[in-house]
């Protein structure tokens, strides 16, 4: 048995910052390297369900997250003109934790970055790993600035294009196109949009998530050719065409689109690495290990949970590193696989609506079974991944 005293974290996203903070708070020496020179983040907004909020409570930043975002308690399904089909009151949360708080990616990242610094983690920007040598008793890490570091464990939270994953598994595992694409934009929030919303159309789905009192995140998902990348200058034209047929605030947002609209588009790529998520003393988490469809708003939540559970395992005193990393994979795989499978089924079902007859059947099924179906997911994901000292 040997205490893990030094960890190098690769990647400064939600999972990497959570890992660095949780480890540093437990007395581990942590260095985090991030390849970007600064945190000018792409992305629009993140829904953070109760399971993610519990992680932030462990880190001591839950109040900051709640103050920076918008709390909502339900998911609503509508038709393309925003006629209500069914409302699902979330079964997530408890007396101390709301079901969901949504906020901009930049706000969440700023909070987690501050927490990591306060905990004592060293963060090195514009730096990445160029070589990993696992010696058995430690990992010798060569960085892009020419320096060499030694760590007891290297944790790769370096995203969907993970070089850490490539280093330990070669090209065996990589994200694959789902055949669908996601369009995203921030918009003024109408007062009635006070929960997560899905508007089902024929051949696509549109929806919204409130981010604060004045802002919401509008998204549109449909089948797209993964080989096509749209010119940023024409994104507003493409999105305007795709939102045809939707009414209510979606139509208003469509009419506002212009050359200056800050639209984010990307093909949905998916990944779930089978266990183990490590090789020797190098371990993966977050999007480096699993990339899920956005339908349960669990992508960042799973990365945050990974970081907390990994820190919990690496600070054990009754196990060696192999046992710690094996236990980490065991604790995380089934939960992440559930999210992957459930969200993928939601994606496939909504995108199978190609005709008015399909739409009528989808509406009938959603009205009858939509809320109980999401309720199953709520109950599974509401189980805390780490025992808490507050009432659950």
């Amino acid at each position: 048995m040997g205490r893990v005293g030094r960890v190098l974290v690769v990647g400064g996203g939600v999972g990497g910052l959570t890992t660095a903070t949780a480890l540093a708070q437990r007395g581990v020496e942590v260095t985090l390297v991030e390849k970007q020179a600064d945190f000018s983040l792409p992305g629009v907004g993140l829904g953070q369900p109760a399971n993610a909020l519990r992680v932030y409570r462990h880190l001591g930043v839950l109040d900051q997250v709640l103050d920076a975002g918008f709390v909502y308690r339900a998911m609503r399904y509508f038709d393309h003109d925003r006629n209500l089909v069914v409302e699902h009151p979330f079964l997530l949360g408890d007396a101390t934790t709301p079901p969901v708080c949504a906020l901009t990616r930049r706000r969440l990242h700023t909070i987690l970055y501050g927490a990591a610094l306060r905990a004592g983690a060293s963060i090195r920007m514009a730096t990445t790993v160029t070589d990993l040598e696992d010696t058995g008793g430690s990992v010798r890490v060569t960085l892009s600035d020419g320096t060499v570091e030694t760590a007891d464990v290297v944790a790769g939270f370096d995203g969907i294009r993970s070089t850490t994953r490539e280093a330990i598994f070669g090209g065996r595992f990589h994200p694959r196109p789902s055949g669908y694409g996601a369009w995203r934009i921030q918009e003024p929030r109408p007062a009635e949009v006070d929960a997560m919303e899905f508007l089902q159309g024929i051949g696509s789905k549109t929806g919204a998530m409130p981010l604060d009192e004045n802002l919401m995140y509008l998204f549109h998902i449909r089948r797209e050719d993964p080989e096509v990348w749209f010119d940023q200058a024409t994104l507003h034209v493409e999105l305007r065409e795709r939102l045809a047929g939707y009414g209510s605030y979606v139509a208003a947002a469509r009419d506002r689109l212009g050359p200056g609209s800050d639209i984010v588009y990307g093909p949905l790529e998916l990944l779930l690495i089978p266990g183990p998520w490590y090789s020797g003393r190098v371990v993966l988490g977050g999007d480096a290990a699993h990339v899920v469809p956005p339908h349960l708003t669990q992508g960042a939540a799973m990365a945050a949970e990974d970081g907390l559970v990994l820190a919990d395992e690496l600070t054990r005193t009754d196990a060696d590193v192999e046992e710690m990393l094996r236990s980490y994979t065991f604790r995380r795989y089934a939960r992440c696989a559930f999210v992957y499978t459930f969200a993928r089924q939601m994606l496939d079902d909504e995108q199978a609506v190609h005709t008015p007859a399909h739409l009528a059947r989808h509406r009938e099924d959603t009205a009858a079974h939509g809320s109980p179906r999401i309720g199953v997911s709520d109950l599974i994901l509401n189980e805390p991944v780490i025992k808490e000292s507050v009432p659950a």
Side-chain angles (χ1 to χ4, degrees):
M1 309 299 173
R3 179 179 180 274
V4 172
R6 190 161 197 275
V7 174
L8 186 131
V9 178
V10 187
V14 171
L17 288 170
T18 297
T19 305
T21 304
L23 284 168
Q25 288 177 342
R26 289 160 172 75
V28 177
E29 183 183 348
V30 180
T31 297
L32 183 150
V33 295
E34 166 55 46
K35 66 180 180 180
Q36 301 298 328
D38 58 58
F39 289 122
S40 53
L41 299 167
V44 182
L46 293 170
Q48 297 298 277
N51 54 306
L53 300 179
R54 290 191 179 100
V55 173
Y56 305 143
R57 181 162 60 212
H58 276 283
L59 302 184
V61 297
L62 177 58
D63 288 345
Q64 287 178 259
V65 172
L66 296 181
D67 288 345
F70 189 100
V71 170
Y72 59 90
R73 303 180 180 279
M75 177 186 292
R76 298 177 186 135
Y77 291 88
F78 296 90
D79 69 9
H80 62 286
D81 277 328
R82 203 173 177 269
N83 298 304
L84 183 65
V85 176
V86 69
E87 177 172 326
H88 170 68
F90 285 121
L91 305 179
L92 295 163
D94 53 50
T96 62
T97 313
V100 185
C101 179
L103 67 168
T104 65
R105 182 180 291 272
R106 186 181 299 277
R107 288 174 183 168
L108 178 59
H109 195 275
T110 298
I111 291 167
L112 295 178
Y113 179 68
L117 291 178
R118 289 192 301 275
S122 171
I123 298 179
R124 297 172 62 176
M125 305 298 295
T127 307
T128 190
V129 174
T130 59
D131 187 62
L132 292 171
E133 181 187 358
D134 191 330
T135 66
S138 63
V139 186
R140 188 173 184 271
V141 184
T142 304
L143 299 177
S144 55
D145 61 5
T147 61
V148 176
E149 303 283 342
T150 300
D152 297 315
V153 171
V154 171
F157 282 78
D158 47 341
I160 189 170
R161 311 289 177 214
S162 171
T163 56
T164 310
R165 182 180 66 234
E166 184 77 12
I168 63 174
F169 292 131
R172 187 177 174 199
F173 303 113
H174 53 86
R176 291 185 170 89
S178 66
Y180 307 109
W183 301 75
R184 304 174 175 97
I185 188 169
Q186 289 183 359
E187 279 286 309
R189 183 183 73 87
E192 65 269 21
V193 181
D194 58 1
M196 169 74 87
E197 299 196 355
F198 292 149
L199 287 73
Q200 181 66 50
I202 294 176
S204 68
K205 182 189 78 174
T206 300
M209 176 194 301
L211 297 176
D212 60 30
E213 291 300 321
N214 302 307
L215 194 65
M216 71 177 182
Y217 153 35
L218 183 73
F219 53 89
H220 179 72
I221 300 174
R222 66 185 299 120
R223 188 172 293 279
E224 299 282 5
D225 184 344
E227 299 301 319
V228 172
W229 194 263
F230 300 98
D231 187 330
Q232 187 71 32
T234 64
L235 285 183
H236 66 288
V237 177
E238 301 286 349
L239 183 54
R240 188 183 296 149
E241 291 176 356
R242 285 159 173 75
L243 293 179
Y246 287 93
S248 187
Y249 61 81
V250 180
R254 179 189 65 225
D255 293 343
R256 284 193 294 268
L257 292 173
S261 297
D262 190 10
I263 301 167
V264 177
Y265 169 75
L268 292 180
E269 297 178 291
L270 306 178
L271 171 71
L272 179 61
I273 294 181
W277 288 351
Y278 65 93
S279 178
R281 289 174 172 262
V282 183
V283 62
L284 302 175
D287 282 356
H290 46 80
V291 184
V292 302
H295 292 59
L296 289 174
T297 65
Q298 285 286 343
M302 289 296 103
E305 285 188 354
D306 286 352
L308 186 63
V309 172
L310 181 59
D312 190 49
E313 287 294 334
L314 292 182
T315 51
R316 290 171 58 182
T317 58
D318 63 340
D320 59 25
V321 168
E322 170 79 15
E323 292 175 280
M324 293 173 185
L325 298 184
R326 185 188 304 118
S327 180
Y328 159 72
T329 301
F330 176 80
R331 290 172 65 181
R332 296 303 302 148
Y333 182 80
R335 192 166 169 98
C336 293
F338 166 76
V339 170
Y340 180 98
T341 304
F342 196 102
R344 178 62 196 251
Q345 188 67 56
M346 290 179 71
L347 171 62
D348 288 340
D349 287 348
E350 77 192 19
Q351 297 298 327
V353 176
H354 300 305
T355 68
H358 291 162
L359 185 61
R361 286 198 296 271
H362 187 276
R363 177 182 178 128
E364 182 179 353
D365 176 75
T366 301
H369 306 296
S371 182
R373 209 169 276 146
I374 296 297
V376 171
S377 172
D378 287 350
L379 293 174
I380 290 172
L381 294 174
N382 206 41
E383 286 293 317
V385 293
I386 294 222
K387 193 174 294 184
E388 298 187 282
S389 58
V390 297

